[in-house]
Amino acid sequence: MAGSIWNSNSWHWEEKNYNKWGKSYIENKLSNLKIEKDGFYVYFDTFDISGNASVYIRKGKQINSFEYVIKFNWNFSKMGQDKECVGGNIQILDFSNSNKELKLMTEEEEKMKNVGMENNHQNQPYGVIPNILHNANHTHENEEEQKKDGSIWNINNYHWEEKCLTRWAKEELKNILDNSKIELSNNIFLQFFSSEVEGEASSSIRKKKKILIYDFKINCEWKAYKQNKSSEIEMETKGHVSVSEVISDFSSEDQTKYKFNFIFDNVDAEYSTMNEVIKTEGPTQIEKIIDSFISRMKDK
């Protein structure tokens, strides 16, 4: 999705409402879904869908956000027969970009379990619905044990609340990088110093869901050395690395999450093998450091 005419290069924050489109899309997909299994057809109708969907544009990146409650009926018929039978109803209580597992009502779970037991009497599709929904999450949250992320005034973390993490995140990531030592192949070790982190981060709460938004660019000086079999340093080199696109882009399909640019101070032939190892293996190890930091940031 591109930004509006006024939003040059989609750089500024912009939100577009997709509530109606999302509801129509879900209903269309479910109404056209027909499952064939064990000699039965299973299909869905009578939809009650509520919720919201938005697409955000920021610094040329697209972020999708959706949250729906989906209720509908499931019916079935036996192959070769015109008779339709009413099966029951399904409730997906939390379908969102942060939770795509099905959560079913307890009574509906029991009904589905009983479908197979009643098969001989009512000619119902033994095991069809339970197998289709075998990934459903039937656990019920204990609200008393939920972590309190919002402020005291934000009862049950329901209202929108945002906490700025920029200062903490920049200092923490800089400290982690400056104290990191990466072991690469061929007994090569890579260390960082004078790291600089630019950008911003925030943690928001809405309807009991935590939304983490961040956008960073990292610049580091690095030094590397190669050890021989006696653990003595036989070669040293240094340079600079920048990491961009460290962003909470939920819709990204790019296999390479971050963009790396290595600069080598020593480019003579004798350093070519060492530089190649740093260039090819370094990004993967740096990604692990950043991903570990982001996991910690989610708990803030």
Side-chain angles (χ1 to χ4, degrees):
M1 183 195 79
S4 301
I5 296 176
W6 60 266
N7 196 352
S8 179
N9 297 322
S10 300
W11 181 257
H12 302 286
W13 182 274
E14 182 178 356
E15 177 182 356
K16 290 191 176 182
N17 188 313
Y18 277 79
N19 293 350
K20 292 183 179 180
W21 180 90
K23 179 179 178 180
S24 175
Y25 180 87
I26 294 171
E27 183 171 340
N28 179 64
K29 290 295 183 181
L30 288 175
S31 61
N32 287 293
L33 178 62
K34 191 173 185 180
I35 301 171
E36 300 180 13
K37 188 176 179 67
D38 297 339
F40 289 89
Y41 292 113
V42 179
Y43 50 94
F44 311 99
D45 60 17
T46 315
F47 302 97
D48 180 10
I49 303 172
S50 60
N52 54 73
S54 299
V55 176
Y56 304 92
I57 293 290
R58 186 187 190 204
K59 294 185 178 180
K61 294 295 181 179
Q62 177 175 306
I63 301 174
N64 300 329
S65 177
F66 60 90
E67 183 177 23
Y68 285 100
V69 174
I70 308 172
K71 302 177 183 179
F72 53 97
N73 293 338
W74 63 273
N75 307 293
F76 67 93
S77 62
K78 192 171 184 179
M79 294 182 183
Q81 297 182 3
D82 295 331
K83 182 180 179 181
E84 296 183 354
C85 301
V86 176
N89 60 77
I90 298 174
Q91 297 187 34
I92 304 176
L93 302 179
D94 184 9
F95 179 68
S96 64
N97 51 299
S98 59
N99 181 20
K100 300 181 182 64
E101 294 182 327
L102 301 183
K103 292 186 178 180
L104 308 179
M105 301 297 289
T106 303
E107 57 269 24
E108 193 62 28
E109 177 186 357
E110 293 300 321
K111 183 186 296 184
M112 290 179 178
K113 288 181 179 179
N114 292 333
V115 166
M117 298 173 60
E118 299 171 357
N119 183 50
N120 294 331
H121 301 288
Q122 300 183 14
N123 200 28
Q124 290 189 347
Y126 176 75
V128 174
I129 293 298
N131 288 336
I132 292 170
L133 300 173
H134 75 282
N135 288 324
N137 181 356
H138 304 308
T139 60
H140 295 270
E141 296 178 347
N142 186 341
E143 295 184 358
E144 294 181 357
E145 296 179 356
Q146 287 184 351
K147 181 180 178 181
K148 181 64 178 176
D149 292 310
S151 302
I152 296 176
W153 60 265
N154 196 353
I155 300 175
N156 295 326
N157 299 328
Y158 188 82
H159 302 285
W160 180 275
E161 183 178 355
E162 181 175 344
K163 179 168 63 174
C164 181
L165 299 177
T166 299
R167 181 176 179 179
W168 173 87
K170 292 167 70 173
E171 292 178 353
E172 184 71 11
L173 184 52
K174 170 182 168 56
N175 183 60
I176 292 173
L177 288 168
D178 285 344
N179 288 279
S180 294
K181 180 179 179 181
I182 299 173
E183 182 176 358
L184 307 177
S185 60
N186 298 335
N187 288 326
I188 297 173
F189 295 86
L190 181 64
Q191 292 179 297
F192 305 100
F193 61 96
S194 300
S195 301
E196 295 181 357
V197 181
E198 301 175 3
E200 55 191 3
S202 65
S203 176
S204 302
I205 294 174
R206 185 190 185 199
K207 294 183 179 179
K208 300 182 181 180
K209 297 296 181 183
K210 179 178 284 189
I211 303 171
L212 185 65
I213 297 178
Y214 53 88
D215 185 358
F216 295 118
K217 182 177 180 180
I218 304 167
N219 288 283
C220 297
E221 301 299 322
W222 59 264
K223 60 181 179 181
Y225 58 90
K226 182 177 181 180
Q227 293 181 339
N228 56 26
K229 294 181 179 180
S230 301
S231 297
E232 297 175 341
I233 297 176
E234 61 180 22
M235 182 178 290
E236 289 183 285
T237 185
K238 58 182 180 178
H240 177 87
V241 61
S242 63
V243 188
S244 58
E245 302 296 329
V246 183
I247 185 171
S248 51
D249 180 12
F250 305 120
S251 62
S252 176
E253 297 178 355
D254 192 350
Q255 295 299 316
T256 304
K257 292 187 293 186
Y258 314 131
K259 306 298 182 184
F260 293 87
N261 182 34
F262 278 89
I263 297 176
F264 300 89
D265 289 355
N266 299 303
V267 293
D268 296 338
E270 60 181 313
Y271 291 96
S272 60
T273 301
M274 190 173 180
N275 289 345
E276 185 63 24
V277 171
I278 295 170
K279 186 176 181 180
T280 55
E281 298 182 16
T284 300
Q285 299 301 321
I286 296 173
E287 277 191 7
K288 292 179 180 179
I289 294 174
I290 297 174
D291 289 345
S292 176
F293 160 74
I294 291 173
S295 295
R296 292 182 58 187
M297 188 164 56
K298 290 178 180 178
D299 295 330
K300 290 295 291 181

